[in-house]
Amino acid sequence: MLLPWLFLSSLGPAFVLASTYCTALDACWPSTQIWASLNTSVDRYLIATCPPAAPCHVLDPLFDEETCAAVNTSWTSITYWENGNASCYINFQLDTPCKQGLVPVIVLDAHSLEDVQKGINFAREHQLRLQIKASGHDFIGCASGEGSLLIWMRHVQNLVLLPEFVALGALNGTKSVKAIRTGPGDGWANIYDLANRSDVVVVGGTGQTVSSAGGYVMGSGYSLLSRHHGLAVDNVLQFTLVDAFGKKVIANAHRNSDLFWCLRGGGGGTFGVVTEVIHKTHPAYHNILAATLTVSAPNSIELASVLKVYLDLQPSLNDAQWWLTTAVQQTSFVLQAALFTPPAGVNLTQVAHEAFQSVILAAQNLSMSPVFVVQKFPNFLAVHDTFFLPSSFGSSAVLASRLIPRHVFENTTTTTLLAQAATEPFAVIFNLVAGGTVSKVLPHATSVNPGWCKALHLVIFASGWTSSTPLSTRDILWQTLTLQTSLFEPFSEGLGRYLNEADRNDPDWPLSFWGDNYKRLLETKCKFDPLGVFECPKCVSSEVFGS
Ligand SMILES: Cc1cc2nc3c(=O)[nH]c(=O)nc-3n(C[C@H](O)[C@H](O)[C@H](O)COP(=O)(O)OP(=O)(O)OC[C@H]3O[C@@H](n4cnc5c(N)ncnc54)[C@H](O)[C@@H]3O)c2cc1C
Ligand SMILES: *[C@@H]1O[C@H](CO)[C@@H](O)[C@H](O)[C@H]1NC(C)=O
Ligand SMILES: *[C@@H]1O[C@H](CO)[C@@H](O)[C@H](O)[C@H]1NC(C)=O
Ligand SMILES: *[C@@H]1O[C@H](CO)[C@@H](O)[C@H](O)[C@H]1NC(C)=O
Ligand SMILES: *[C@@H]1O[C@H](CO)[C@@H](O)[C@H](O)[C@H]1NC(C)=O
Ligand SMILES: *[C@@H]1O[C@H](CO)[C@@H](O)[C@H](O)[C@H]1NC(C)=O
Ligand SMILES: *[C@@H]1O[C@H](CO)[C@@H](O)[C@H](O)[C@H]1NC(C)=O
Ligand SMILES: *[C@@H]1O[C@H](CO)[C@@H](O)[C@H](O)[C@H]1NC(C)=O
Ligand SMILES: *[C@@H]1O[C@H](CO)[C@@H](O)[C@H](O)[C@H]1NC(C)=O
């Protein structure tokens, strides 16, 4: 017995609550011999880790110029979270030794479901703080924690086309569907390649390295194809996972359906460690119309007046089935658009021009020179690779998001206010990714925020920092972000995917994030993980287990 146990009954669901986790800073941390025996049992896949920039710090015991140069070269693909006050920067404060910060102390580089079982059992027995990481792209540092053990899922790969999939436990005679099975180590780039070769599409994200069986799919991941096929969670047929007791569990509509519901929106790192996801596929698109419109204005007031014209168009562009993403940056915006089901037998270049004509005219009328480019693509992969370069990962970002419902875009007073708010200092990205099939899914069919059903847009607020951005500047970034997000608050139907500082400090954040689905999420968490083996910041039950 390492630590005292408490029972909390006031929480509703009866969690068995450890007063604290055992971290590397504590005397209860397993001895070297105990770690060595775990290492042997997992084929020596345990790695003792240090902050990646440590070799660049002259006073650090790990200082080594050659290693530093190698780390520096691949810096943007390293996605550890170390922000906190014990950071180890690559090009900042190099004359101080590094502290471990939030970088996990030991990493289990899992290669199989069995490795995951051993890691979970070990963490539970020793009451360790356990982290789960696939790509490490989580933007609120969900896959990092002080003094923790990390199970890294990059090498659990499972990619295969299943021409005739029937969920386990389905009634005899259930019709099979074409599906793609993936593991957390399979990023979208490989899946899209397989889908393209198989002449199907899957509802995936835009990041090449983002995991197809981690935070994207368990959070409310969205896709260019969501308007046609729903969110990623609406397309999951089955999960295979290891639960908090180290047991292999299948969750689908027939087996462990309560857990299945939670995994579809309740977030990663909370209910178990997923080793396999079966994604529904859909017939490929072969005649795709795409367009890019770039507008630059002399000042933000003029940009807002053009943007307003564009925002007013959203209901009709949605009805015409356009996918849109529009990045606004104070005095300019870039809009990318795709129509996967364009009308037949008409001039598509003309279709694109007509769709955005009023925006182009509004810009020209103010003496701007908008640039409009129309393209046609033979498959999804070609659109994806044209719009989303494989470069964007590893950057630190401050982010927030809000779901904005259709009626906001139908009201000319509110589009004026939105356009003004969007031209404030932060980058604001309007994503027309809801509507369509997303709005036809019943509000509580999955555990995503029910606000998705009413929404048209997921609006994301973003700013990056580099490792040399001083902490005081980061505070200002957070404050600015919070201010700008608040301008959208009156129009919001709930938080989307990302929380800002104010959201995190909001005592009602679970409600804003999951709406009235939260109660059921918490109850099921209690049933499957009463000990809080899986705990992460701002996850279901982190108000219970968080420290
Ligand atoms: C370049 C880029 C493009 C993006 N594009 C999109 C997009 O188009 N649409 C969209 O919706 N989002 C997009 N995102 C956001 C992305 O979906 C989230 O950052 C997501 O959380 C990443 O999930 P991950 O599993 O890859 O990351 P991680 O940081 O490894 O994990 C995220 C969370 O899931 C947990 N987790 C990871 N693996 C597992 C597992 N196997 N079992 C249980 N829990 C697990 C972690 O503990 C953590 O809590 C993009 C991100 C980037 C960087
Ligand atoms: C596990 O074993 C491997 C191989 O002997 C070794 O390289 C690694 O450092 C060990 N891990 C830990 C955490 O000791
Ligand atoms: C890392 O590379 C950048 C750009 O090449 C350089 O400016 C910087 O000094 C390097 N940092 C270290 C610690 O070597
Ligand atoms: C680091 O932050 C923690 C809380 O986040 C605080 O208790 C501690 O005093 C800080 N340490 C330093 C050196 O600022
Ligand atoms: C379904 O089929 C299996 C084997 O094909 C059989 O054993 C089982 O009894 C069947 N179940 C029902 C409900 O018909
Ligand atoms: C996608 O598939 C098509 C055949 O349908 C093929 O011509 C094309 O090269 C593939 N694209 C990529 C990027 O592999
Ligand atoms: C289609 O429309 C564009 C723009 O109006 C025009 O330039 C082009 O010639 C038309 N193409 C055909 C085949 O008619
Ligand atoms: C162009 O600007 C004038 C005023 O400068 C305005 O009256 C007119 O409605 C504008 N036209 C369009 C298409 O925006
Ligand atoms: C439009 O929005 C404004 C501001 O929120 C509101 O006062 C007005 O009632 C709305 N109009 C309609 C028709 O809903």
Side-chain angles (χ1 to χ4, degrees), residues 364-422:
Q364 286 169 340
N365 197 23
L366 289 167
S367 307
M368 298 172 202
S369 311
V371 180
F372 190 56
V373 178
V374 179
Q375 287 168 289
K376 280 161 223 163
F377 294 104
N379 55 55
F380 173 87
L381 187 56
V383 182
H384 178 270
D385 288 354
T386 304
F387 280 167
F388 304 99
L389 305 173
S391 57
S392 51
F393 51 84
S395 57
S396 306
V398 285
L399 288 173
S401 65
R402 289 294 183 275
L403 293 163
I404 309 292
R406 179 182 178 115
H407 68 81
V408 170
F409 298 97
E410 289 171 336
N411 179 332
T412 173
T413 311
T414 54
T415 51
T416 303
L417 293 171
L418 270 194
Q420 283 163 0

Side-chain angles (χ1 to χ4, degrees), residues 132-378:
I132 317 298
K133 170 169 131 163
S135 71
H137 283 319
D138 184 89
F139 290 109
I140 55 171
C142 273
S144 34
E146 195 170 46
S148 62
L149 165 68
L150 175 84
I151 301 184
W152 185 35
M153 300 300 287
R154 177 73 183 82
H155 296 116
V156 179
Q157 297 171 342
N158 252 318
L159 185 58
V160 68
L161 180 79
L162 303 171
E164 297 187 341
F165 175 76
V166 179
L168 218 68
L171 288 175
N172 286 356
T174 301
K175 203 166 169 285
S176 69
V177 294
K178 197 184 270 191
I180 284 184
R181 187 187 74 198
T182 78
D186 299 304
W188 292 113
N190 294 340
I191 295 153
Y192 289 156
D193 180 58
L194 173 64
N196 186 55
R197 279 187 277 122
S198 315
D199 207 30
V200 294
V201 290
V202 283
V203 178
T206 59
Q208 303 253 353
T209 54
V210 166
S211 172
S212 57
Y216 168 85
V217 74
M218 285 179 265
S220 23
Y222 56 88
S223 163
L224 275 70
L225 297 171
S226 285
R227 74 152 41 264
H228 296 292
H229 307 298
L231 297 172
V233 292
D234 300 319
N235 290 276
V236 175
L237 300 171
Q238 184 168 296
F239 288 97
T240 302
L241 65 149
V242 180
D243 73 9
F245 298 97
K247 210 168 92 235
K248 176 182 168 178
V249 176
I250 305 282
N252 64 29
H254 319 285
R255 297 261 167 97
N256 297 303
S257 57
D258 47 356
L259 189 55
F260 185 54
W261 182 84
C262 290
L263 292 167
R264 290 180 300 150
T270 310
F271 297 94
V273 178
V274 170
T275 56
E276 205 178 285
V277 174
I278 315 279
H279 305 262
K280 198 188 285 179
T281 70
H282 303 275
Y285 298 92
H286 290 300
N287 183 29
I288 305 163
L289 175 61
T292 307
L293 174 63
T294 309
V295 175
S296 299
N299 56 58
S300 60
I301 294 172
E302 291 193 19
L303 191 82
S305 77
V306 179
L307 185 60
K308 183 216 163 7
V309 175
Y310 173 57
L311 295 182
D312 285 332
L313 278 185
Q314 298 307 306
S316 66
L317 290 172
N318 175 61
D319 294 343
Q321 315 253 305
W322 284 92
W323 162 82
L324 303 166
T325 185
T326 309
V328 184
Q329 201 132 33
Q330 260 184 313
T331 59
S332 67
F333 69 80
V334 179
L335 119 71
Q336 291 173 307
L339 190 56
F340 291 91
T341 51
V346 293
N347 181 334
L348 290 187
T349 308
Q350 221 159 323
V351 168
H353 274 95
E354 277 164 16
F356 300 98
Q357 193 173 33
S358 60
V359 188
I360 296 169
L361 286 179
Q364 286 169 340
N365 197 23
L366 289 167
S367 307
M368 298 172 202
S369 311
V371 180
F372 190 56
V373 178
V374 179
Q375 287 168 289
K376 280 161 223 163
F377 294 104

Side-chain angles (χ1 to χ4, degrees), residues 31-42 44 46 122:
S31 68
T32 313
Q33 289 92 319
I34 293 176
W35 281 112
S37 71
L38 176 66
N39 201 7
T40 310
S41 82
V42 295
R44 308 197 172 274
L46 277 193
F122 188 88

Side-chain angles (χ1 to χ4, degrees), residues 53 55-57 65 68-69 71-73 75 89-92 94:
C56 299
H57 288 241
E65 277 183 51
C68 170
V71 169
N72 201 11
T73 309
W75 187 251
Y89 304 109
I90 184 83
N91 49 13
F92 187 57
L94 290 173

Side-chain angles (χ1 to χ4, degrees), residues 84-86 99:
N85 52 12
K99 293 193 185 125

